[in-house]
Amino acid sequence: MERTNLSNTVKQLRKEYGLTQEDLAMKSGVGLCFVRNLEQGKATLRMDKVNQLLDLFNYELTATRKS
């Protein structure tokens, strides 16, 4: 799987907050497998779960116009 901006950002935020993948899964209410897939750049993920996880860091996934 190819790492994406999203996967890199999540991994960086998790490390900045001193969280393991297990900690992040538990605190955000998503599964550990979901966190691992997200950080590895899985191409298909549920957007509601991505935002549920990002909410922990006060972020959200939004649509933007391509450049």
Side-chain angles (χ1 to χ4, degrees):
M1 288 182 244
E2 183 180 328
R3 299 284 303 269
T4 63
N5 286 339
L6 176 61
S7 61
N8 288 329
T9 298
V10 168
K11 187 171 187 175
Q12 178 184 358
L13 286 167
R14 177 178 61 77
K15 288 184 175 194
E16 284 177 18
Y17 281 74
L19 300 170
T20 65
Q21 288 181 333
E22 292 85 0
D23 293 335
L24 180 55
M26 188 171 59
K27 289 180 181 288
S28 65
V30 300
L32 177 57
C33 185
F34 181 84
V35 172
R36 288 181 177 155
N37 286 336
L38 175 57
E39 287 192 3
Q40 291 174 1
K42 183 177 179 190
T44 57
L45 294 167
R46 285 185 43 188
M47 194 168 171
D48 61 326
K49 285 191 169 194
V50 172
N51 278 323
Q52 181 179 341
L53 183 145
L54 290 174
D55 189 55
L56 186 65
F57 304 114
N58 202 31
Y59 278 72
E60 69 179 359
L61 187 63
T62 59
T64 58
R65 184 178 298 264
K66 290 183 179 182
S67 344

